[in-house]
Amino acid sequence: MMNSSSSTMPVATSPIAARSRTVPWIAAISIAVLAALPLVVYPIFLMKLMCFALFACAFNLMLGYTGLLSFGHAMFFGGSAYVCAYTAKVLGFTPELGVLAGTAFAAVLGLIAGLLAIRRQGIYFAMVTLALAQMFFFFCLQAKFTGGEDGLQAVPRRDLFGMIDMSRDEHLYYFVLGVFLFGFFVIYRTIHSPFGQVLKAVRENEQRAISLGYHANRYKLLAFVLSAALTGLAGSTKVLVFQLASLTDVAWQMSGEVVLMTLVGGMGTVFGPVVGAALIVTLENYLAGLGEWLLVIQGAIFVVAVSLFRQGLVGEIAATARRYTSKKLSV
Amino acid sequence: MIELLGISPQALFGQLFLGLINGAFYAILSLGLAVIFGLLNVINFTHGVQYMMGAFGAWMALEYLGIPFWGALVLSPILVGLVGMVFERTLLKRLYHLDHLYGLLLTFGLALIVEGLFRRQYGSSGLPYDNPLPGGANLGFMFLPYYRAFVVVVSLVVCLLTWFVVERTKLGSYLRAATERADLVQAFGVDVPRMVTLTYGFGAALAAFAGVLAAPVYQVSPTMGSNLIIVVFAVVVIGGMGSIMGAIVTGFGLGVVEGLTKVFYPEASSTVIFVVMAIVLMLKPAGLFGTAK
């Protein structure tokens, strides 16, 4: 780690210095654009996009920054959706409490699944998470409170904090925007914190990180719980938007979809999952009428992405930009 | 004593036998996964789809060409194996130098494509396939359908044959050597890339073979593979991929466990294998037959 970073030092320093100046500006402009966007774009579509973008970002925390492929994130997404829908519909929770309950549930589920899954590395980790998620799927299929095949429909959008009317899409939009920005900020801070540095060290070389005295498993578990909780945040917010929690949210296809979003956008990049989610959700919206072709197209994107651009869109653009700047520096 | 529990021996042994059949499929599929993973370092997510293609191969052979079950049992695996080899040569081969995850993702993508195409063509509901060996014997305590007995016996033979070839023949010793150190084996003049392709083809053919066997027991449907492969992953986690015999024993054993659960606590029958996986992970993380690395 040390060697490689010090050798690229001359190249790396200037972008970092530049980044600390440009980041607040980019953030401010993006937020302004996001706040104004529902004036031109259908707000439900935007909210769906933000939920999936947050989902993909949370997933990326595992795959991109910890190097662990979880093939079971649907259990956190769908599980939190059920809890949020149930608390809102049956127990009469207000939206913020429902979202909190969903997030907390996902965190606890993440802790249990994580304790089991981190006992195996690499490819086994993917299989364990997939199997655990499938177990959770069957649980949801049989449990009474999930409504079985019907799911929980017509979940009411109660007033936020008991005051703000959430039944209007414009109001809900800003709530979802707030949730998304909060989640994104948490992930951004995590990645750039010392904790995030250790995660990256574990990703690059787990044995060496352990020999340096880091309890790699503890870091992996914490990252997993955080990722699960943020996935839960996205899943429960999605319920408020569509007023529906169903088996689709917990099925393995959902786990595959979030892998696809992250892969297409660029794993291990900050904005990659957002771009990937935007692309895939838009694609699905346009191709919704095609039925089974959608599965074929998703599969084809997987094959193309893995074969040709493994770094994803954002990753490839960043790599090209790096090549360009390093060429300029060397000339 | 069994009757005291309120369960008829007919139901108990019937479910046990169905469990053995499922176990046979688990064993064959996890065997193929283990052999492919050993040499290619790829978890073959396409395995479930190859199983499904095997079943569809049999169905199509009968429907369009009039080839009966026994012909399809030979033809379908060969065809699926060939398709698998083409896939290995054209796409999978490029990923061997990368992290294992990419192989998993590529095969996952391919599985989606194939399943999507089949679903578009044949819908999600099942297509019936006639039992080629109707009838059965009454053993007193249970009724034994001939075809199901045939499935269990032939699966066991195929599993043991595979074990014998890999563990006891010269060809198998090349395979095991290449699993350890492919570069050295290559240096001794063995064509490792060809061996890799053939191994992948063999694994795919095994899956298709299980699919053909499954066609008369279950309905032939495009989703039959994706549902099964996740359970097989759990089986692989439980058994560990280090030993062929381990895969066989784990596969059959878990099939029986699942069958028993169907009798005594049917609600848990779809989750019991995952529960076993969780318990094994807690007690022996490397798997029952795995070696801790």
Side-chain angles (χ1 to χ4, degrees), chain B residues 150-210:
Chain B
F150 164 77
V151 170
V152 172
V153 171
V154 85
S155 310
L156 207 57
V157 169
V158 165
C159 286
L160 293 177
L161 259 180
T162 309
W163 171 83
F164 181 79
V165 171
V166 175
E167 299 286 340
R168 292 286 183 273
T169 63
K170 183 133 189 170
L171 183 72
S173 68
Y174 286 165
L175 192 83
R176 279 176 290 130
T179 302
E180 295 290 326
R181 281 293 297 271
D183 48 347
L184 268 182
V185 176
Q186 175 103 39
F188 285 137
V190 178
D191 188 349
V192 172
R194 193 178 66 189
M195 202 155 80
V196 165
T197 307
L198 288 175
T199 304
Y200 188 81
F202 174 71
L206 265 185
F209 185 77

Side-chain angles (χ1 to χ4, degrees), chain A residues 63 67-69 71 116-117 119-120 122-124 126-128 130-132 134-135 138-139 142 252-253 256-257 259 263 267 292-293 295-296 298-300 302-303 306-307 310, chain B residues 37 43 45 91 95 98 100-102 104-106 108-110 112-113 116-117 119-120 124 226 230 233-234 236-237 240-241 267 270-271 274-275 277-278 281-282 285-287:
Chain A
L63 178 59
L68 289 171
L69 170 61
F71 234 105
L116 287 169
R119 288 171 159 258
R120 296 297 279 272
I123 211 78
Y124 281 101
M127 292 196 280
V128 171
L130 178 60
L132 290 174
Q134 189 73 353
M135 179 160 101
F138 281 118
F139 167 74
Q142 291 171 346
W252 59 266
Q253 286 91 341
E257 214 161 284
V259 179
L263 180 70
M267 50 177 114
E292 310 296 357
W293 281 117
L295 208 59
V296 180
Q298 281 182 344
F302 254 113
V303 171
V306 171
S307 302
R310 281 181 282 274
Chain B
F37 182 73
I43 281 292
F45 218 123
L91 289 169
L95 303 177
L98 298 166
H100 305 171
L101 297 181
Y102 290 107
L104 179 79
L105 294 179
L106 180 74
F108 178 70
L110 187 76
L112 289 185
I113 294 178
L117 288 174
R119 261 160 67 169
R120 213 200 73 77
S124 291
S226 48
I230 302 178
F233 279 171
V236 162
V237 172
M241 282 193 286
E267 290 84 359
S270 50
T271 48
F274 303 120
V275 174
M277 182 192 79
L281 279 174
M282 280 188 280

Side-chain angles (χ1 to χ4, degrees), chain A residues 4 48 81 142 187 196 201 240 245 256 276:
Chain A
S4 64
K48 179 181 180 187
Q142 291 171 346
I187 292 166
L240 295 179

Side-chain angles (χ1 to χ4, degrees), chain B residues 58-73:
Chain B
W59 184 84
M60 285 193 257
L62 186 67
E63 189 79 7
Y64 303 136
L65 306 170
I67 299 172
F69 174 80
W70 308 103
L73 193 57

